[in-house]
Amino acid sequence: MSGKKAAGGAVAAVLAVPLFLVGSLVLLGGNSAQAGACGAPAAAVVSGKDVPKEIAGFSGVQLKNAAILMDQAKKLGMPVSAQLLVVQAAIGESTLRAIDYTDAVGTVNGVAITIGILQQDESYGVRADRLDVAKAGAGFLSRLKNVQGWESLDPSIAIHRVQRNADENHYTKFRAQAVQVVEALSGAKVTGGECSAPGGKVIGEVKGHWANPLPGGVVTSPYGPRPGMLDPLGRAFHFGLDLSHPLTAGTEVAATDMKITVATDVDGGTGAGTHVKGISLDRKFTLSYSHMEPGSLRVKVGDVVAAGTPLGTEGASGNVTGRHLHFEVFLGAYNDPWSTHEPTTDPEPILRSKGLL
């Protein structure tokens, strides 16, 4: 039950399945401590006595299922990154449960078609096979193998190429949980998304929160008409909200959970100077931070960052006369938007509605 249907993380029904003890997890062999690199062989599952009763909000049968999925990647000779992807996909589809139901989109004539831990359709086999966690995992991983360059894709995109979700970024918000589960079940050190594409780290816990983009900063210039002060295109309108930290340069942070699409010291003649842009994980907004201190960037393109994650230092690079953050909010999801083309909105009411100004 994913973005192609309902949100995968929202499965809340009490399922009539037995809760296996975590201690029933078997030791699969191998030195999992060496499996931290993205291309390293799949990590083995540690013995049950070494596994916490709860990991990232999951327990019992959910952890048993995660272990089974990880074991399938190992049996197929795939790397630890594949273990992360199959667990991440299963969290997003069913919260790690072999469910026999779906939502309206996956139902035909009153019959659930997409079912199981990975919400697979009939192309994956008979109903019993799709409800079998091991077979479902093997099916997903076999198709993942056929995705060209899957190892270098953004994790959510790689999963999407198999699952065909309506929203290719649906699985992003489950990455941090997947990392925690794989680490705890294997002993492999993959914290921060080391087994994703370069610049594809997950930083912090994405929970849908908001933060002041310049903590401790004050508004120095509002969004809207600005007579006598023209932008580089000759328009008397200020398309962002300016904030400045008193006395010393402040740290600019992610205002909400977002995926970084631009992080560069290259102005490119735009006047933005060192700047960062990112798409909120709900894809309602694109956020832009201009005029940072050159060399201060703390994120890379492809990173997924939680609200409050440091992005860089407030500066005065680009077409400015003093140190400040020029913060723009675009309506919708754009990889590299500019107020020249894409629609902006006033950031101040948004921040005030969150109690941040």
PDB file of all heavy atoms in Angstrom, residues 10 74 86 89 112 118-119 139 151 166 188 204 207 214 264 270 304 326 330 349:
ATOM      1  N   ALA A  10       1.216   4.138   6.501  1.00  0.00           N
ATOM      2  CA  ALA A  10      -0.013   4.391   7.247  1.00  0.00           C
ATOM      3  C   ALA A  10      -0.805   3.141   7.574  1.00  0.00           C
ATOM      4  O   ALA A  10      -1.920   3.213   8.035  1.00  0.00           O
ATOM      5  CB  ALA A  10      -0.907   5.350   6.451  1.00  0.00           C
ATOM      6  N   LYS A  74      21.238 -11.796   0.249  1.00  0.00           N
ATOM      7  CA  LYS A  74      22.479 -12.535   0.459  1.00  0.00           C
ATOM      8  C   LYS A  74      22.515 -13.781  -0.418  1.00  0.00           C
ATOM      9  O   LYS A  74      23.527 -14.102  -1.046  1.00  0.00           O
ATOM     10  CB  LYS A  74      22.632 -12.907   1.932  1.00  0.00           C
ATOM     11  CG  LYS A  74      23.986 -13.525   2.279  1.00  0.00           C
ATOM     12  CD  LYS A  74      24.135 -13.652   3.778  1.00  0.00           C
ATOM     13  CE  LYS A  74      25.495 -14.268   4.120  1.00  0.00           C
ATOM     14  NZ  LYS A  74      26.617 -13.399   3.706  1.00  0.00           N
ATOM     15  N   VAL A  86      15.473  -3.349  -0.337  1.00  0.00           N
ATOM     16  CA  VAL A  86      14.303  -4.212  -0.183  1.00  0.00           C
ATOM     17  C   VAL A  86      13.605  -3.959   1.156  1.00  0.00           C
ATOM     18  O   VAL A  86      12.368  -3.984   1.244  1.00  0.00           O
ATOM     19  CB  VAL A  86      14.678  -5.701  -0.352  1.00  0.00           C
ATOM     20  CG1 VAL A  86      15.518  -6.222   0.800  1.00  0.00           C
ATOM     21  CG2 VAL A  86      13.427  -6.555  -0.546  1.00  0.00           C
ATOM     22  N   ALA A  89      11.775  -0.595   0.764  1.00  0.00           N
ATOM     23  CA  ALA A  89      10.558  -0.767  -0.026  1.00  0.00           C
ATOM     24  C   ALA A  89       9.453  -1.405   0.803  1.00  0.00           C
ATOM     25  O   ALA A  89       8.289  -0.982   0.757  1.00  0.00           O
ATOM     26  CB  ALA A  89      10.851  -1.618  -1.260  1.00  0.00           C
ATOM     27  N   ALA A 112      -8.473  -7.917  -3.670  1.00  0.00           N
ATOM     28  CA  ALA A 112      -7.171  -7.256  -3.561  1.00  0.00           C
ATOM     29  C   ALA A 112      -6.194  -7.929  -4.518  1.00  0.00           C
ATOM     30  O   ALA A 112      -5.939  -9.124  -4.423  1.00  0.00           O
ATOM     31  CB  ALA A 112      -6.654  -7.347  -2.129  1.00  0.00           C
ATOM     32  N   LEU A 118       5.387  -6.622  -0.114  1.00  0.00           N
ATOM     33  CA  LEU A 118       5.820  -5.662  -1.122  1.00  0.00           C
ATOM     34  C   LEU A 118       4.695  -5.269  -2.069  1.00  0.00           C
ATOM     35  O   LEU A 118       4.922  -4.668  -3.104  1.00  0.00           O
ATOM     36  CB  LEU A 118       7.011  -6.222  -1.897  1.00  0.00           C
ATOM     37  CG  LEU A 118       8.314  -6.220  -1.081  1.00  0.00           C
ATOM     38  CD1 LEU A 118       9.304  -7.245  -1.594  1.00  0.00           C
ATOM     39  CD2 LEU A 118       8.919  -4.831  -1.052  1.00  0.00           C
ATOM     40  N   GLN A 119       3.447  -5.608  -1.689  1.00  0.00           N
ATOM     41  CA  GLN A 119       2.266  -5.201  -2.458  1.00  0.00           C
ATOM     42  C   GLN A 119       2.451  -5.505  -3.951  1.00  0.00           C
ATOM     43  O   GLN A 119       2.381  -4.627  -4.808  1.00  0.00           O
ATOM     44  CB  GLN A 119       1.968  -3.729  -2.220  1.00  0.00           C
ATOM     45  CG  GLN A 119       1.434  -3.410  -0.842  1.00  0.00           C
ATOM     46  CD  GLN A 119       0.018  -3.944  -0.624  1.00  0.00           C
ATOM     47  OE1 GLN A 119      -0.958  -3.350  -1.088  1.00  0.00           O
ATOM     48  NE2 GLN A 119      -0.109  -5.061   0.072  1.00  0.00           N
ATOM     49  N   GLY A 139      11.449 -11.958  -5.570  1.00  0.00           N
ATOM     50  CA  GLY A 139      10.860 -11.375  -6.766  1.00  0.00           C
ATOM     51  C   GLY A 139      11.266  -9.924  -6.958  1.00  0.00           C
ATOM     52  O   GLY A 139      11.628  -9.503  -8.059  1.00  0.00           O
ATOM     53  N   GLU A 151      22.490   0.504  -8.726  1.00  0.00           N
ATOM     54  CA  GLU A 151      23.387   0.774  -7.603  1.00  0.00           C
ATOM     55  C   GLU A 151      23.695   2.254  -7.440  1.00  0.00           C
ATOM     56  O   GLU A 151      23.979   2.725  -6.339  1.00  0.00           O
ATOM     57  CB  GLU A 151      24.696   0.007  -7.765  1.00  0.00           C
ATOM     58  CG  GLU A 151      24.546  -1.494  -7.870  1.00  0.00           C
ATOM     59  CD  GLU A 151      24.496  -1.978  -9.306  1.00  0.00           C
ATOM     60  OE1 GLU A 151      24.012  -1.218 -10.179  1.00  0.00           O
ATOM     61  OE2 GLU A 151      24.945  -3.102  -9.567  1.00  0.00           O
ATOM     62  N   ALA A 166       3.295   5.831  -8.102  1.00  0.00           N
ATOM     63  CA  ALA A 166       2.873   7.085  -8.729  1.00  0.00           C
ATOM     64  C   ALA A 166       3.826   8.219  -8.373  1.00  0.00           C
ATOM     65  O   ALA A 166       4.012   9.156  -9.145  1.00  0.00           O
ATOM     66  CB  ALA A 166       1.452   7.433  -8.294  1.00  0.00           C
ATOM     67  N   ALA A 188      26.255  -4.379  10.326  1.00  0.00           N
ATOM     68  CA  ALA A 188      26.921  -3.548   9.321  1.00  0.00           C
ATOM     69  C   ALA A 188      26.752  -2.079   9.682  1.00  0.00           C
ATOM     70  O   ALA A 188      25.723  -1.682  10.226  1.00  0.00           O
ATOM     71  CB  ALA A 188      26.324  -3.812   7.940  1.00  0.00           C
ATOM     72  N   GLY A 204      19.520  13.037   9.545  1.00  0.00           N
ATOM     73  CA  GLY A 204      18.483  13.325  10.516  1.00  0.00           C
ATOM     74  C   GLY A 204      17.262  12.440  10.333  1.00  0.00           C
ATOM     75  O   GLY A 204      17.215  11.585   9.453  1.00  0.00           O
ATOM     76  N   LYS A 207      10.455  13.714   9.785  1.00  0.00           N
ATOM     77  CA  LYS A 207       9.193  13.541  10.506  1.00  0.00           C
ATOM     78  C   LYS A 207       8.139  14.566  10.103  1.00  0.00           C
ATOM     79  O   LYS A 207       7.104  14.683  10.740  1.00  0.00           O
ATOM     80  CB  LYS A 207       9.435  13.633  12.012  1.00  0.00           C
ATOM     81  CG  LYS A 207      10.307  12.514  12.579  1.00  0.00           C
ATOM     82  CD  LYS A 207      10.448  12.646  14.087  1.00  0.00           C
ATOM     83  CE  LYS A 207      11.249  11.497  14.665  1.00  0.00           C
ATOM     84  NZ  LYS A 207      11.390  11.605  16.150  1.00  0.00           N
ATOM     85  N   LEU A 214      16.813  30.273   9.406  1.00  0.00           N
ATOM     86  CA  LEU A 214      17.990  30.928   9.987  1.00  0.00           C
ATOM     87  C   LEU A 214      17.720  31.134  11.475  1.00  0.00           C
ATOM     88  O   LEU A 214      17.289  32.209  11.900  1.00  0.00           O
ATOM     89  CB  LEU A 214      18.289  32.269   9.303  1.00  0.00           C
ATOM     90  CG  LEU A 214      19.571  32.966   9.745  1.00  0.00           C
ATOM     91  CD1 LEU A 214      20.804  32.165   9.309  1.00  0.00           C
ATOM     92  CD2 LEU A 214      19.644  34.392   9.175  1.00  0.00           C
ATOM     93  N   THR A 264      25.714  24.485  -4.485  1.00  0.00           N
ATOM     94  CA  THR A 264      26.849  24.907  -5.298  1.00  0.00           C
ATOM     95  C   THR A 264      27.428  26.249  -4.861  1.00  0.00           C
ATOM     96  O   THR A 264      26.705  27.112  -4.347  1.00  0.00           O
ATOM     97  CB  THR A 264      26.430  24.991  -6.778  1.00  0.00           C
ATOM     98  OG1 THR A 264      27.542  25.403  -7.580  1.00  0.00           O
ATOM     99  CG2 THR A 264      25.286  25.983  -6.969  1.00  0.00           C
ATOM    100  N   THR A 270      23.741  34.453 -11.809  1.00  0.00           N
ATOM    101  CA  THR A 270      22.362  34.617 -11.339  1.00  0.00           C
ATOM    102  C   THR A 270      22.237  35.633 -10.212  1.00  0.00           C
ATOM    103  O   THR A 270      21.150  36.114  -9.924  1.00  0.00           O
ATOM    104  CB  THR A 270      21.818  33.278 -10.824  1.00  0.00           C
ATOM    105  OG1 THR A 270      22.601  32.868  -9.692  1.00  0.00           O
ATOM    106  CG2 THR A 270      21.911  32.193 -11.901  1.00  0.00           C
ATOM    107  N   VAL A 304      19.029  13.660   1.458  1.00  0.00           N
ATOM    108  CA  VAL A 304      17.699  13.881   2.029  1.00  0.00           C
ATOM    109  C   VAL A 304      17.916  14.353   3.456  1.00  0.00           C
ATOM    110  O   VAL A 304      18.558  13.664   4.251  1.00  0.00           O
ATOM    111  CB  VAL A 304      16.855  12.604   2.007  1.00  0.00           C
ATOM    112  CG1 VAL A 304      15.543  12.814   2.752  1.00  0.00           C
ATOM    113  CG2 VAL A 304      16.585  12.176   0.574  1.00  0.00           C
ATOM    114  N   HIS A 326      18.631  35.056   1.721  1.00  0.00           N
ATOM    115  CA  HIS A 326      17.488  35.343   0.856  1.00  0.00           C
ATOM    116  C   HIS A 326      16.777  34.010   0.666  1.00  0.00           C
ATOM    117  O   HIS A 326      17.273  33.105  -0.011  1.00  0.00           O
ATOM    118  CB  HIS A 326      17.954  35.901  -0.492  1.00  0.00           C
ATOM    119  CG  HIS A 326      16.836  36.113  -1.478  1.00  0.00           C
ATOM    120  ND1 HIS A 326      15.946  37.156  -1.376  1.00  0.00           N
ATOM    121  CD2 HIS A 326      16.466  35.405  -2.584  1.00  0.00           C
ATOM    122  CE1 HIS A 326      15.073  37.092  -2.384  1.00  0.00           C
ATOM    123  NE2 HIS A 326      15.370  36.028  -3.121  1.00  0.00           N
ATOM    124  N   PHE A 330       8.995  28.184  -3.538  1.00  0.00           N
ATOM    125  CA  PHE A 330       8.284  27.991  -4.797  1.00  0.00           C
ATOM    126  C   PHE A 330       7.129  27.008  -4.572  1.00  0.00           C
ATOM    127  O   PHE A 330       7.252  26.069  -3.786  1.00  0.00           O
ATOM    128  CB  PHE A 330       9.220  27.430  -5.869  1.00  0.00           C
ATOM    129  CG  PHE A 330      10.329  28.365  -6.251  1.00  0.00           C
ATOM    130  CD1 PHE A 330      11.502  28.409  -5.507  1.00  0.00           C
ATOM    131  CD2 PHE A 330      10.208  29.203  -7.350  1.00  0.00           C
ATOM    132  CE1 PHE A 330      12.529  29.266  -5.855  1.00  0.00           C
ATOM    133  CE2 PHE A 330      11.233  30.065  -7.710  1.00  0.00           C
ATOM    134  CZ  PHE A 330      12.394  30.103  -6.960  1.00  0.00           C
ATOM    135  N   PRO A 349       4.181  33.966   5.975  1.00  0.00           N
ATOM    136  CA  PRO A 349       2.984  33.354   6.563  1.00  0.00           C
ATOM    137  C   PRO A 349       3.164  31.862   6.858  1.00  0.00           C
ATOM    138  O   PRO A 349       2.609  31.345   7.852  1.00  0.00           O
ATOM    139  CB  PRO A 349       1.902  33.577   5.486  1.00  0.00           C
ATOM    140  CG  PRO A 349       2.376  34.755   4.716  1.00  0.00           C
ATOM    141  CD  PRO A 349       3.867  34.625   4.691  1.00  0.00           C
TER     142      PRO A 349
END
